[in-house]
C-alpha cells in the first residue's frame, strides 16, 4: 500500500480483525492543531484496514497526572494500543504498566528523561533541538554579543533541555556570547513582551532573544514596538500563525518546528503495523529533525 | 413512604447533599453512556485519581473551617516530593527520605501557621508567599530537573492491595480519621468554634494560636503526604509537581459544602467534592469529549452542583 | 390556645384612629408557635412599653410590624389601610423605624454615613453631600443626646453605648410615624438614658407612635403611657404606669412574683481566692490592688470607660499585664491567654453577646459546651453524651427557652442567648467567675433566677467578680463593691456601707 | 520635626502603608543597584507592566470590599479579547469589535452577579465556574488559535502619548475615577457598607442585590478592558490570554491592604500593590537575579510587605 499523504509509513494488511488505537493528546494552543489533524488523517487512512484511531483529548492543562489518568482510561476501555504525548518524567510508570498489560504504547512529541518500556518514541530530542538553535544563534550573532534567554517554566524538562542545549553549546563554542537570564515567562506572550522591554533597558546592546517555549511572538512584538527591528532578533519554536507573522516582518529570525503532523500520522501507522503484523518500528527512538524557518523562507 | 421523604428532606438540609446528588447524576449518566464506566477497574481508577486531591483537601478543609486558607499546598506537594526523593537518592535510605518528605510538609505548614499567628499576616498573603518560596526551594534543590522516586512511595502512589489502589485506601482511612477527629475530639470541635467566632472562642478558653498553628501544620503534613503519593505514582519527583493544585483542592472543599467564611463544613462533603472532580475528568476521557468542551462542562457542573444548594437555602448573611 | 382576654386597665375608648391596628397576629418557627393571635393598637403620640420575659415574642412581634418577618396569620392596618409588608424596605417607606436589639452599625463607615445609610443626601453631581450630611448628623446626634460625638469618626471605633445612640439617631432621622425601640437602653449610661428619654418625649409630642421594649421596669414605668405585657406569645395585660407597680408587672410577666433579696453569706476573711497587687495594663487601668475572698461576690462598679472590662480582661489573660501581679489561691497567676485562665478555673461571661459571646452558626449545645470541652474530655475525645445531660440541667435551672438544644443559638431570643453564655461559664465548673454586664437583656424574672444561681454557687465556694452598670444589681447580689474611676480604684465598700449614693460618689471621684 | 513623626504615624495607621514602604525600599535599593532603574523609560515600562493587573484589580477591589471574590477575571480577559478580535475580523468594524469585547466582559460580570444574587451561589464557586466556562467558550470560538488584533486596541495596549504608555495613563485615570467613586458616591459607600455588615446594610435600606450585581458587573467590565489592552499590546487575541491572572489580581488587592473579609480597603493601596509586583519582575531583570532565586525572592517580598503591617497592628478579630 501507499503511505498516506504527509506520512512516510505504509500500513500492512490486517489479518487480525478490528483494531482500536487510542490517541491521547492535549489541546490548548495552535501547536496541537497539526497533531490532532495527524491523528484524524491516520484514522481516515487506517479505516480502510479495519482499524480506528480514536482521538482522546486530555484537556487544556498539561500535567503528568492528566496523562496517567488518560492512559488508565484507555486501558479501562480496552484499546489495543496507545499513542500518547507523555512529555513528563512521571509518565514512565503507567506506560510500563500498559505495556505489561499487553497494550503497546507509542510515545510522540516529547517524553520524560526516565526510561520507559514504550514501543518506540518518535519526536524531537529537546537537547539537540536546543543545540540546533544554538548553532543558528552563533551564526546569526557572529559568535559575539548578548543573548537574552526566556524559558517557559522553570523546571519543565523540555523547556530546560531546549534552553541548556543551546546555552551549553554556545558556552562551549562561542564563549564571547554573553547570556542574559534566564527568565521565566510561564508560556505567556505578555510576560515575554515585558521581559524583553526590561532586558533592553538593562542591556541596550542585546542583539538576540531566545524563547524556549510559549509566547515567542510576544518577544517579537516588543522588539517591533521598541523600533529595534533588524537590530534585535528573536528565535523560538513552532510554526504557529502568531510566530510566522513576525518571521515575515523580520523581528523573528528563526523558528524551529517539530513536524508534529508527520509524527502523529507515522506513529499511528507504525503502531498499527506492530499490532497486526508484529512489525517493530525501525528504531526505539526515531528522531525528527525540525524544520528551521528563517525570514527568507517566509517570503 | 413518608419516612423516605423525611429522610430525603433531612439529607437536603446538609450542604453536601446537592454535590452528592450531582455526583450521582453524573455517575448514572455515565453508566448508561459508557459501557466501561462501571467496570471495577475504572471505578477504582476514579478513586485513585481523586485520592491526592482528597487527602490534601482534608487538611485544607480544617484550615478553611477554622477561617484560614492555605494557598501553598501545591508548592508544598512539590517541595516535599523533591526533598523525599533527594534524600533517598543521596542517603539511599527510603524511610529516612519519606520521613524527611513528611517533615518538610509539616515544617511548611508550621511556617504558614507562625506567619499567621505570630507575625499576624493574613493567611491568604502568608501562604501566597510560601507558595512562591517553597516552589523556589524545590527548583533550587533540583536545578529544575526531576528526581526519580520509587520503592515504598511508588507502592503507596501506584500499588494495589487486592486490586484496590493503596492511595485510595489511604484516602478512605484518613478521611474517616479526620472525620472522627473533627466531630469527636476537643481540638476538632475547637476548630469549628474558632472559625465561627474567633473572639468569642478565645474568650471561652480556646487557644486560638495553638489551634490555628495546628490546622496549618496538619494541612502542611497532608500536603507533604500528597507530594509523596503523587511523586510515587509518577515514580518521579518533579519540582513542578502540584503546580495549581491549590485551586483544585480549595474547589473540592468548597464544593463539598464548606463555607469560605469558616465555622461550617464536613469531611464527607470534601471527599464527595474531590470525587466529583475526578469523575468529571474520567467522564471526559471515557466519552472522548473535546478539550474545549471539557472546560465548559467542568464549569457548568460546578455551578449546577452548588446552585441546587443555594436555591434551596436562600441567602444566609442577609 | 391561651386565652387572649386582656385585663384592660386603660378602659376608656381613645379618641381618633389608631396608627397601627394588629389583629390576630400569629407566628410559628418550624412548628413552634411563638405568637398566638396578638391584638395590638398603637396611637400617634403615645409611648407604649412592651414588657415580657425572654423569648416571650417581643422582638418577633416587632419584626412582623416592621416587615422583617411575615405573620402566619392575622392582619395589620396602618392608618386605617391594611398593609402586607414583604420586606424591611416596605416597612421603612411606610414610615416605620426599628432600632434592633442587636447592634448593627456598619463599623467601616463614619458616624454620619451610618446615620444616612440607605438614604444618602446627594449633590447635583450625584456625589454624597458630605457637608450637608455632617451638619445634619450633628443636629441629629444632638437630638438624641449624643452631641459630643464627631460625625466623621469611624463607627467601628465607638463603644457599645455610643453605637446604640447612633442606631437611635438613625431611626430618628427617618422621621418615622412608628418608632420601635427594642431594648435601646441596655448599654447606655444613666446620663445617656436621660437624654434619650427627653428625645422620646419630644418625638411623642411631635405625634410619633413609639414602642419601647425594655427589661428595666423603672424605665418603663417612668417613660411610658401604657404598658403591654406579653407572655408566651400572647398579650396578658395592658396597664397605665400610674395605676400599677413593679410587683404587679412582674407577676403579669412571669405568673409569679420574682424578687431576689440579698442574703448575707458567711465568708472566711482569710480565704483569699484572688488578689491583685498594683495591677496596671499601661493604657486603661492603673495601680489596682484588691482581694476577693473565697465564696464572695465582689461587685465592680464604674462609669463607662472606668476600666472594668479592661480589669476583667487582665485577670482573664485577654490583655497583657504591664506591671503588678496577681495571685489565685495564693499562687502567682499570670495567664498569657484566656485558654490558660480557663484551664486554671477562671471563666468569663463577656460583655457584647453578639461579638464576643455567641458562636452564631453553632447549636445551643455546642455553644454551652465550648468552655468545658477539655474539662470533660477523655483523652482526646470530647464527652458528647455527657454534654446533653449537662445542658439539660442548665436549661432547666436557668429557664432557657428553646425548641431543642440542637437549634442554632442565633435563633434564640437575645436574653436566652445570654443565658446560654452563662450556662457555658458555669458548665466549666470554675473557681472564679468573671461577669461583665452579665444580665444585659435578661428579663427580670430570669435575673432573679440568675442571682439565685450565682448566690448558690457562691455558697458552695465559687468566687465571683461582677462588673455591672446597674446599681440595683450590685445592691442585690454583692457582698462588697469595688468602685473604679478613670482606671483607678476609687474605693471598696463593705456591704454595710453600700448605698446608691456612696457608690456613685466614688465613681465620680476622679472626674 | 514632631509633625513629621505625627504624619508618619498617621500614615502607619493606613493598611497600605507597609506595602508603600516596601515599594519604596525596593525602589531605593534598585536605584542604587542599577543605573538603568531610574531612567524615565524604565519607570514608565514598570507602569505599563503594572497597568493591566492594576486596572482589573480596581474592579476586583470593589468586589472584595463588598465581601465577594471574582476568580473568573483571567478567563474574562481571554474571552473579551477573543470576542473583540473575532468581531473585528468578521465585520471589519473596529469600534463594534471593541464594544463587543467590553460588552462581553460586562456580561460575564453580570452572569457572575446573577449567579450570586439570584441563584445564591457562593461567589467563590460561581466565579470558579465561570472561570472554566468563559475559557472554554474562548477556546471553542477560536479553535484554540489566536486571532490577530490591531488598530485602536494596539494603540491602547502598546501605544504612547508623549512617551507615556497609553495603558498606564488609562490606569491612572481609572484609578482616580474609581477612587472618587468609592469614597464619594452613594453606590461607593454602600459597597463598603454591604461588605462590612450586609445584614445591617439591608435593614438600613441598601439594595444588597443591586449593589452586588453592580460590583461584579463592573469588575467584569474592567476585566474586558484588561483583555482588550492585553491583546492590543500583543496585537493578538489568544484564547489562553490571562490564564492565572486571577491570583495576581487578587494578590495586588490584598497586598494593598484590602481585607478579604470585606468592608475595608483603598484604591490607592490596590495600585501600590500592583506596582510592587511589577517592580519585582523589573528588579529580577535589571539585577539579573538567577533563575530560581527569582521565585524565592518574590515570595519573601510578599511576606515582608504584609508582615510589617501585621506586626504593627496585632490581630484584629480576637
Ligand atoms: N428564626 C427563628 N427560628 C426559630 N425560632 C425563633 C426564631 N426567631 C425567634 N425564635 C424563637 O421565638 C421565640 C421568641 O423570640 P423573641 O426574639 O421574639 O423573644 P423576645 O421576647 O424578644 O425575647 P428577649 O427579651 O430575650 O429579646 C424564642 O423562643 C426564639 O427562640
Ligand atoms: N478615652 C477613651 N477614648 C476612647 N475609647 C475609650 C476611652 N476610654 C475607654 N474607651 C473604650 O470604651 C470602652 C469601654 O471602656 P472600659 O471597658 O474601660 O469601661 P467599662 O468600665 O468596662 O465600661 P463599660 O463596660 O460599661 O463600657 C472600651 O472599649 C474602651 O476601649
Ligand atoms: Mg428580643
Ligand atoms: Mg465594660
Amino acid at each position: 500500500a501507499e503511505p498516506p499523504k504527509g506520512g512516510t509509513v505504509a500500513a500492512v494488511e490486517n489479518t487480525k480483525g478490528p483494531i482500536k488505537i487510542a490517541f491521547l493528546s492535549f489541546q490548548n494552543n495552535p501547536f496541537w492543531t497539526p497533531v490532532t489533524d495527524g491523528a484524524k488523517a491516520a484514522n481516515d487512512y487506517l479505516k480502510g484496514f479495519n482499524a480506528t484511531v480514536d482521538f482522546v483529548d486530555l484537556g487544556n492543562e498539561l500535567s503528568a497526572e492528566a496523562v496517567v489518568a488518560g492512559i488508565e482510561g484507555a486501558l479501562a476501555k480496552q484499546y489495543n494500543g496507545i499513542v500518547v504525548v507523555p512529555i513528563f518524567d512521571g509518565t514512565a510508570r503507567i506506560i510500563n504498566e500498559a505495556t505489561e498489560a499487553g497494550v503497546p504504547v507509542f510515545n510522540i512529541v516529547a517524553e520524560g528523561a526516565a526510561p520507559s518500556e514504550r514501543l518506540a518514541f518518535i519526536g524531537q530530542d529537546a537537547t539537540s533541538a536546543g543545540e540546533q538553535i544554538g548553532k543558528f544563534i552563533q551564526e546569526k550573532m557572529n559568535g559575539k554579543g548578548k543573548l537574552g534567554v526566556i524559558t517557559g517554566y522553570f523546571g519543565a524538562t523540555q523547556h530546560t533541555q531546549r534552553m541548556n542545549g543551546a546555552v551549553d553549546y554556545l558556552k562551549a563554542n562561542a564563549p564571547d556570547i554573553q547570556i542574559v537570564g534566564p527568565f521565566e515567562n510561564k508560556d505567556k506572550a505578555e510576560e515575554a513582551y515585558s521581559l524583553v522591554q526590561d532586558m533592553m533597558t538593562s542591556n541596550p546592546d542585546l542583539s538576540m532573544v531566545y524563547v524556549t517555549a510559549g509566547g515567542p511572538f510576544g518577544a517579537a512584538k516588543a522588539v517591533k514596538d521598541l523600533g529595534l527591528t533588524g537590530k534585535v532578533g528573536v528565535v523560538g519554536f513552532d510554526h504557529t500563525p502568531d510566530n510566522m507573522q513576525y518571521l515575515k516582518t523580520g523581528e523573528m529570525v528563526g523558528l524551529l518546528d517539530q513536524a508534529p503532523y508527520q509524527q502523529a500520522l507515522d506513529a499511528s501507522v507504525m503502531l498499527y503495523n506492530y499490532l497486526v503484523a508484529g512489525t517493530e518500528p525501525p528504531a526505539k527512538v526515531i528522531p525528527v529533525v525540525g524544520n528551521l524557518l528563517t525570514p527568507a523562507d517566509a517570503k | 413512604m413518608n419516612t423516605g421523604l423525611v429522610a430525603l428532606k433531612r439529607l437536603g438540609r446538609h450542604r453536601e447533599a446537592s454535590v452528592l446528588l450531582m455526583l450521582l447524576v453524573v455517575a448514572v449518566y455515565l453508566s448508561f453512556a459508557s459501557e466501561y464506566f462501571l467496570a471495577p477497574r475504572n471505578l477504582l481508577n476514579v478513586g485513585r485519581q481523586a485520592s491526592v486531591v482528597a487527602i490534601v483537601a482534608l487538611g485544607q478543609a480544617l484550615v478553611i473551617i477554622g477561617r484560614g486558607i492555605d494557598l501553598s499546598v501545591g508548592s508544598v506537594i512539590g517541595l516535599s516530593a523533591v526533598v523525599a526523593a533527594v534524600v533517598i537518592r543521596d542517603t539511599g535510605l527510603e524511610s529516612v527520605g519519606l520521613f524527611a518528605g513528611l517533615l518538610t510538609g509539616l515544617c511548611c505548614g508550621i511556617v504558614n501557621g507562625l506567619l499567621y499567628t505570630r507575625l499576624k499576616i493574613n493567611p491568604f498573603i502568608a501562604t501566597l508567599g510560601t507558595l512562591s518560596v517553597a516552589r523556589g526551594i524545590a527548583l533550587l534543590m533540583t536545578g529544575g530537573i526531576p528526581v526519580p522516586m520509587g520503592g515504598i512511595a511508588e507502592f503507596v502512589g501506584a500499588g494495589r492491595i487486592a486490586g484496590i489502589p493503596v492511595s485510595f485506601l489511604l484516602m478512605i482511612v484518613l478521611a474517616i480519621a479526620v472525620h472522627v477527629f473533627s466531630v469527636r475530639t476537643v481540638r476538632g470541635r475547637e476548630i469549628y468554634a474558632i472559625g465561627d467566632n474567633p473572639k468569642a472562642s478565645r474568650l471561652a478558653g480556646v487557644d486560638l494560636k495553638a489551634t490555628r498553628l495546628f490546622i496549618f501544620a496538619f494541612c502542611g503534613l497532608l500536603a507533604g503526604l500528597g507530594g509523596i503519593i503523587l511523586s510515587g505514582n509518577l515514580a518521579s519527583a518533579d519540582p513542578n509537581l502540584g503546580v495549581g493544585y491549590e485551586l483544585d483542592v480549595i474547589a473540592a472543599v468548597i464544593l463539598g459544602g464548606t463555607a469560605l467564611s469558616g465555622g461550617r463544613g464536613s469531611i464527607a462533603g470534601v471527599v464527595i467534592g474531590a470525587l466529583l472532580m475526578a469523575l468529571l475528568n474520567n467522564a471526559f476521557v471515557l466519552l472522548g469529549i473535546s478539550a474545549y468542551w471539557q472546560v465548559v462542562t467542568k464549569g457548568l457542573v460546578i455551578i449546577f452542583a452548588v446552585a441546587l444548594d443555594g436555591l434551596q437555602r436562600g441567602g444566609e448573611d442577609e | 390556645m391561651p386565652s387572649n382576654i386582656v385585663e384592660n386597665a386603660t378602659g376608656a375608648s381613645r379618641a381618633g384612629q389608631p396608627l397601627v391596628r394588629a389583629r390576630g397576629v400569629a407566628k410559628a418557627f418550624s412548628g413552634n408557635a411563638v405568637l398566638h393571635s396578638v391584638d395590638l393598637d398603637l396611637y400617634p403620640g403615645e409611648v407604649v412599653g412592651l414588657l415580657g420575659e425572654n423569648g416571650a415574642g417581643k422582638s418577633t412581634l416587632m419584626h412582623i410590624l416592621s416587615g422583617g418577618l411575615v405573620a402566619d396569620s392575622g392582619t395589620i392596618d396602618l392608618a386605617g389601610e391594611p398593609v402586607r409588608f414583604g420586606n424591611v424596605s416596605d416597612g421603612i417607606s411606610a414610615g416605620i423605624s426599628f432600632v434592633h436589639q442587636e447592634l448593627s452599625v456598619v463599623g467601616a463607615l463614619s458616624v454620619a454615613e451610618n446615620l444616612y445609610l440607605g438614604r444618602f443626601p446627594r449633590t447635583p453631581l450625584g456625589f454624597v453631600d458630605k457637608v450637608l450630611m455632617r451638619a445634619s448628623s450633628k443636629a441629629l446626634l444632638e437630638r438624641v443626646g449624643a452631641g459630643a460625638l464627631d460625625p466623621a469618626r469611624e463607627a467601628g471605633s465607638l463603644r457599645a453605648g455610643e453605637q446604640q445612640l447612633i442606631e437611635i439617631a438613625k431611626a430618628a432621622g427617618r422621621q418615622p410615624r412608628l418608632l420601635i425601640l427594642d431594648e435601646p437602653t441596655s448599654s447606655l449610661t444613666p446620663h445617656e438614658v436621660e437624654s434619650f428619654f427627653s428625645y422620646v418625649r419630644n418625638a411623642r409630642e411631635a405625634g410619633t407612635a413609639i414602642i419601647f421594649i425594655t427589661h428595666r421596669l423603672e424605665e418603663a414605668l417612668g417613660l411610658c403611657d401604657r404598658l403591654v405585657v406579653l407572655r408566651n406569645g400572647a398579650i396578658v395585660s395592658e396597664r397605665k404606669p400610674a395605676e400599677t407597680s413593679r410587683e404587679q408587672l412582674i407577676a403579669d410577666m412571669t405568673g409569679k412574683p420574682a424578687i431576689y433579696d440579698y442574703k448575707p453569706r458567711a465568708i472566711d476573711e482569710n480565704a483569699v481566692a484572688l488578689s491583685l497587687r498594683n495591677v496596671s495594663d499601661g493604657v486603661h487601668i492603673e495601680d489596682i490592688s484588691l482581694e476577693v475572698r473565697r465564696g464572695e461576690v465582689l461587685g465592680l462598679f464604674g462609669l463607662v470607660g472606668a476600666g472594668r472590662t479592661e480589669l476583667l480582661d487582665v485577670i482573664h489573660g485577654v490583655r497583657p499585664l504591664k506591671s503588678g501581679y496577681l495571685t489565685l489561691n495564693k499562687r502567682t497567676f499570670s495567664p498569657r491567654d484566656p485558654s490558660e485562665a480557663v484551664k486554671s478555673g477562671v471563666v468569663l461571661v463577656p460583655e457584647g453577646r453578639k461579638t464576643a459571646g455567641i458562636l452564631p452558626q453553632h447549636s445551643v449545645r455546642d455553644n454551652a459546651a465550648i468552655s468545658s470541652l477539655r474539662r470533660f474530655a477523655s483523652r482526646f475525645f470530647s464527652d458528647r453524651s455527657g454534654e446533653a445531660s449537662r445542658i439539660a440541667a442548665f436549661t432547666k435551672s436557668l429557664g432557657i427557652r428553646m425548641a431543642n438544644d440542637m437549634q442554632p443559638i442565633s435563633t434564640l431570643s437575645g436574653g436566652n442567648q445570654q443565658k446560654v453564655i452563662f450556662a457555658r461559664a458555669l458548665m466549666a465548673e470554675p473557681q472564679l467567675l468573671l461577669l461583665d454586664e452579665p444580665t444585659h437583656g435578661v428579663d427580670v424574672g430570669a435575673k432573679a433566677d440568675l442571682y439565685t444561681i450565682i448566690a448558690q454557687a457562691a455558697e458552695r465556694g465559687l468566687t465571683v467578680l461582677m462588673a455591672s452598670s446597674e446599681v440595683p444589681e450590685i445592691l442585690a447580689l454583692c457582698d462588697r463593691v469595688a468602685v473604679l474611676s478613670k482606671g483607678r480604684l476609687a474605693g471598696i465598700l463593705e456591704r454595710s456601707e453600700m448605698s446608691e449614693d456612696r457608690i456613685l460618689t466614688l465613681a465620680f471621684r476622679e472626674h
Side-chain angles (χ1 to χ4, degrees), chain C residues 27-30 32-35 50-63 69 101-102 182-183 213-215 230 233 353 400-403 407-419 440-443:
Chain C
K27 178 80 191 171
F29 290 107
S30 45
N32 230 349
V34 169
L35 291 175
L50 186 59
L51 307 176
E53 289 187 284
N54 294 133
K58 303 180 296 292
S59 300
T60 305
L61 180 60
M62 294 306 105
H63 279 294
L69 284 174
Q101 183 173 10
E102 304 296 348
D182 195 349
E183 289 192 48
I213 299 178
T214 185
H215 290 295
L230 201 61
R353 155 172 81 237
I400 299 172
R401 191 176 298 199
M402 61 190 167
Q407 88 188 82
I409 193 169
S410 48
T411 62
L412 255 54
S413 81
N416 281 307
Q417 292 181 8
Q418 184 69 14
K419 291 185 197 169
H440 261 184
V442 174
D443 68 55

Side-chain angles (χ1 to χ4, degrees), chain B residues 84-118:
Chain B
V86 166
V87 171
I88 293 177
R89 184 190 63 192
D90 293 354
T91 67
L93 298 171
E94 244 189 71
S95 51
V96 176
L98 297 187
F99 180 75
L102 292 177
L103 193 68
T104 305
L106 184 68
C107 289
C108 290
I110 290 177
V111 168
N112 283 331
L114 290 177
L115 288 174
Y116 181 24
T117 57
R118 302 285 149 179

Side-chain angles (χ1 to χ4, degrees), chain A residues 32-150:
Chain A
W32 302 104
T33 313
V35 177
T36 318
D37 291 345
K40 287 211 186 84
N43 187 41
D44 292 342
Y45 174 64
L46 292 176
K47 226 187 277 163
F49 298 85
N50 195 14
T52 56
V53 178
D54 292 345
F55 182 81
V56 177
D57 221 325
L58 297 178
N60 68 333
E61 278 169 39
L62 279 60
S63 71
E65 292 103 286
V67 175
V68 173
I71 294 180
E72 281 178 350
L75 292 177
K77 286 179 79 173
Q78 298 165 349
Y79 279 100
N80 302 98
I82 297 171
V83 180
V84 66
V85 184
I87 305 179
F88 305 95
D89 260 22
T91 52
R93 192 194 54 73
I94 187 74
I95 291 171
N96 294 347
E97 218 174 81
T99 307
E100 268 161 44
V103 181
V105 178
F106 208 117
N107 289 356
I108 64 169
V109 179
E111 62 176 1
S116 68
E117 305 283 313
R118 42 51 180 161
L119 180 65
F121 167 63
I122 177 167
Q124 193 170 45
D125 176 53
T127 307
S128 31
E131 261 176 47
Q132 192 182 350
I133 292 245
K135 271 185 210 136
F136 178 75
I137 290 173
Q138 182 191 11
E139 270 168 40
K140 275 275 163 195
M141 295 176 71
N142 290 325
K144 59 182 185 299
K146 275 187 181 172
L147 168 72
V149 177
I150 297 175

Side-chain angles (χ1 to χ4, degrees), chain C residues 61-379:
Chain C
L61 180 60
M62 294 306 105
H63 279 294
I64 291 172
L65 290 185
S66 62
L69 284 174
V70 179
D72 297 339
S73 64
T75 60
I76 297 169
D77 294 355
L78 191 69
E81 297 290 317
V83 288
R84 199 169 168 77
F85 298 139
N87 56 46
V88 188
S89 13
D90 293 351
I92 292 176
S93 46
I96 300 177
S97 283
F98 189 172
V99 175
H100 290 264
Q101 183 173 10
E102 304 296 348
L103 285 176
S104 54
V105 298
V106 178
L109 300 188
S110 71
V111 170
E113 285 173 332
N114 265 282
L115 294 180
Y116 284 91
L117 184 61
R119 53 185 193 105
F120 285 121
R122 290 169 204 248
T123 61
L125 285 174
F127 293 119
V128 176
D129 192 339
K130 287 204 170 178
V131 182
L132 178 68
M133 196 167 70
R134 292 248 165 102
S136 42
S137 298
K138 198 81 197 153
L140 208 51
L141 288 169
E142 257 153 30
R143 259 171 70 194
V144 300
L149 279 184
D150 177 5
R153 224 172 118 183
E154 204 180 80
S157 69
L158 302 175
R159 59 177 185 79
E162 290 166 331
Q163 295 191 353
Q164 184 78 62
L165 288 173
I166 290 174
E167 302 243 338
I168 295 166
K170 183 159 100 187
R174 291 179 192 267
Q175 313 277 5
R177 288 199 282 174
L178 171 62
L179 176 60
I180 301 171
L181 302 160
D182 195 349
E183 289 192 48
T185 54
S186 58
S187 47
L188 298 187
T189 62
H191 178 70
E192 285 166 338
V193 169
E194 262 324 302
S195 8
F196 162 66
F197 277 7
S198 57
Y199 157 72
V200 172
R201 294 195 179 101
N202 286 339
R204 170 172 57 190
E205 293 315 311
T208 313
I210 296 160
I211 300 181
F212 177 53
I213 299 178
T214 185
H215 290 295
R216 297 181 183 168
L217 299 182
E218 295 75 13
E219 291 180 352
L221 287 164
L223 183 69
C224 301
D225 302 314
R226 182 156 60 105
L227 296 171
V228 175
V229 176
L230 201 61
R231 190 200 316 162
N232 288 336
I235 290 180
V236 293
S237 77
E238 280 196 44
R239 299 180 191 281
K240 285 235 191 249
E243 298 159 10
T244 187
S245 65
R246 252 183 82 84
E247 290 68 30
Q248 174 74 61
L249 290 170
I250 292 173
D252 285 349
M253 284 162 62
T254 62
K256 57 177 198 260
I259 306 293
Y260 175 81
D261 277 323
Y262 176 77
K263 284 192 247 19
R265 280 175 280 273
I267 292 161
D268 179 357
E269 294 287 324
N270 298 320
V272 174
L274 173 77
S275 98
L276 279 63
R277 283 280 162 269
N278 312 103
V279 165
S280 306
D281 75 344
V283 193
H284 293 93
I285 52 174
E286 229 188 298
D287 195 25
I288 292 184
S289 301
L290 54 83
E291 289 184 345
V292 196
R293 295 183 281 264
R294 204 173 129 75
E296 181 180 38
V297 180
L298 178 69
L300 203 53
F301 187 82
L303 304 174
V304 165
R308 292 162 296 174
T309 299
E310 280 74 9
L311 182 59
L312 295 181
D313 280 354
V314 166
I315 300 171
H316 195 49
V318 180
R319 245 171 205 282
L321 184 67
K322 185 77 176 291
S323 63
Y325 67 94
L326 295 98
T327 64
L328 183 69
N329 295 331
K330 311 237 158 80
R331 271 198 294 269
T332 311
F333 179 60
S334 56
R336 274 162 307 166
D337 192 76
S339 54
E340 292 180 17
V342 172
K343 248 180 237 151
S344 327
V346 178
V347 300
L348 170 74
V349 172
E351 186 182 20
R353 155 172 81 237
K354 194 175 171 189
T355 53
I358 61 168
L359 309 171
Q361 303 175 51
H362 279 64
S363 69
V364 171
R365 189 191 292 179
D366 285 342
N367 262 282
I370 187 69
S371 285
S372 48
L373 287 178
R374 285 183 190 275
R375 170 163 297 262
F376 296 109
S378 51
R379 292 179 147 264

Side-chain angles (χ1 to χ4, degrees), chain B:
Chain B
M1 182 196 99
N2 222 352
T3 53
L5 209 73
V6 170
L8 211 71
K9 273 213 167 161
R10 170 157 336 144
L11 190 70
R13 250 181 289 140
H14 288 280
R15 298 190 144 246
E16 52 274 43
S18 68
V19 187
L20 185 59
L21 189 69
M22 199 73 202
L23 185 76
L24 292 178
V25 168
V26 175
V28 168
Y29 173 74
L30 274 178
S31 55
F32 284 103
S34 167
E35 55 189 306
Y36 305 104
F37 173 68
L38 284 180
R41 180 180 178 106
N42 187 56
L43 290 180
L44 289 173
N45 279 346
V46 174
R48 193 202 58 70
Q49 287 158 21
S51 62
V52 175
V53 168
I55 286 174
V56 182
L58 293 176
Q60 185 75 262
L62 293 186
V63 171
I64 293 180
I65 289 172
R67 219 183 249 196
I69 192 157
D70 187 350
L71 295 179
S72 71
V73 287
S75 295
V76 174
I77 285 176
L79 181 59
S80 307
V82 162
V83 168
V86 166
V87 171
I88 293 177
R89 184 190 63 192
D90 293 354
T91 67
L93 298 171
E94 244 189 71
S95 51
V96 176
L98 297 187
F99 180 75
L102 292 177
L103 193 68
T104 305
L106 184 68
C107 289
C108 290
I110 290 177
V111 168
N112 283 331
L114 290 177
L115 288 174
Y116 181 24
T117 57
R118 302 285 149 179
L119 301 190
K120 319 268 186 210
I121 306 180
N122 171 317
F124 189 95
I125 289 289
T127 57
L128 192 66
T130 40
L131 178 155
S132 220
V133 175
R135 182 69 63 202
I137 296 177
L139 288 167
L140 282 171
M141 280 184 67
T142 56
I145 295 162
V147 185
M149 184 86 166
I152 304 177
E154 190 165 357
F155 173 70
V156 176
R160 285 166 190 256
I161 295 176
I164 303 173
V166 177
S167 59
F168 182 60
L169 286 175
L170 194 60
M171 185 263 270
I172 301 283
V173 170
L174 281 172
I176 293 174
V178 175
H179 170 76
V180 170
F181 168 77
S182 73
V183 300
R184 296 290 312 279
T185 68
V186 173
R187 209 1 77 80
R189 297 178 64 189
E190 288 180 345
I191 293 170
Y192 280 85
I194 66 165
D196 195 3
N197 187 342
K199 185 174 178 184
S201 308
R202 174 162 183 249
L203 292 179
V206 178
D207 191 337
L208 267 193
K209 284 191 181 158
T211 311
R212 286 177 173 163
L213 190 58
F214 173 84
I215 52 182
F216 278 95
F218 184 69
C219 184
L221 181 65
L222 286 187
L225 179 62
I228 288 174
I229 297 176
L230 207 53
S231 59
N233 180 35
L234 304 173
S236 151
D238 186 327
N240 275 323
L241 202 69
V243 167
Y245 244 70
E246 55 280 357
L247 263 191
D248 285 351
V249 167
I250 295 172
V253 172
I254 308 279
L255 261 182
T258 302
L260 208 55
S261 52
R264 201 168 49 199
S266 78
I267 297 305
V270 169
V271 174
I272 298 171
L275 282 176
L276 177 61
M277 301 218 301
L279 195 63
L280 279 183
N281 285 329
N282 183 250
F284 297 149
V285 174
L286 286 192
L287 303 181
I289 296 178
S290 93
Y292 306 154
W293 280 109
Q294 289 179 23
V295 183
V296 174
T297 315
K298 203 165 179 173
L300 291 178
V301 170
I302 289 179
I303 292 176
F304 277 125
V306 182
L308 276 172
D309 184 57
L311 273 182
Q312 178 203 339
R313 197 168 301 273
E316 304 259 290
D317 53 357
E318 343 171 288

Side-chain angles (χ1 to χ4, degrees), chain A residues 28 30 154 183 188 193-194 197-198 201-202 221 225-226 242:
Chain A
N28 67 345
F154 286 146
F183 303 104
K188 286 182 187 155
Y193 185 98
S194 298
Q197 244 181 9
D198 288 344
T201 304
S202 45
K221 178 72 167 41
D225 287 351
L226 288 167
D242 263 328

